[in-house]
Amino acid sequence: MASTRSKVLALYKDIMRRARIWEGKGNTAESEYIVSEARKLFRKNKDIEDNSLIAEKIEEGESRVELAEHYGNPYPRMYYAQPGVIYKSGNRARKKINPNYMHSYYDEDEFK
């Protein structure tokens, strides 16, 4: 548990540090988005006790940090699904495709 806690705190500190650096580049609105999104998601997930679910959330956070750094854009990257595609289940493609880095972005019930 202590190892998981330290990983979560290290991720949070890393995100906040990157937000300060981002602001230094002149992107105040994006920096504020990074801070508010991180606070919202960390508060939302603070009561999770399942270690495997915590590991998934850490991986999601790390993925979003890497994507933001790579593309120079902190906002979630949308995935591509051909417009109008409907699977046999009747769900549209957007509901079927939910990449790792988007789990916290949408309401989980939307993908069931």
Side-chain angles (χ1 to χ4, degrees):
M1 182 70 177
S3 173
T4 304
R5 179 178 168 81
S6 64
K7 287 179 184 178
V8 170
L9 291 174
L11 177 61
Y12 187 79
K13 287 178 184 180
D14 183 46
I15 292 170
M16 292 302 158
R17 182 184 54 79
R18 290 173 190 257
R20 283 193 308 275
I21 293 169
W22 210 284
E23 186 174 9
K25 296 177 183 176
N27 300 315
T28 307
E30 291 178 354
S31 176
E32 290 172 3
Y33 169 78
I34 294 167
V35 170
S36 68
E37 184 76 358
R39 285 181 179 158
K40 178 181 84 173
L41 293 176
F42 275 82
R43 284 182 181 143
K44 174 184 171 186
N45 297 323
K46 72 178 181 177
D47 296 324
I48 296 175
E49 294 180 2
D50 180 23
N51 284 337
S52 62
L53 186 56
I54 292 171
E56 286 178 24
K57 297 296 181 181
I58 291 171
E59 184 179 333
E60 177 183 353
E62 290 171 346
S63 296
R64 288 183 68 173
V65 167
E66 289 174 16
L67 285 169
E69 285 291 321
H70 178 76
Y71 290 105
N73 180 355
Y75 304 106
R77 299 221 14 107
M78 300 299 160
Y79 50 83
Y80 175 76
Q82 187 174 359
V85 171
I86 299 177
Y87 291 96
K88 290 180 182 178
S89 64
N91 294 333
R92 293 213 174 271
R94 186 178 81 74
K95 291 186 177 184
K96 189 73 172 175
I97 302 170
N98 188 11
N100 178 31
Y101 58 88
M102 296 294 289
H103 287 214
S104 293
Y105 190 70
Y106 293 111
D107 183 17
E108 293 296 325
D109 295 335
E110 189 174 339
F111 291 98
K112 291 181 180 177

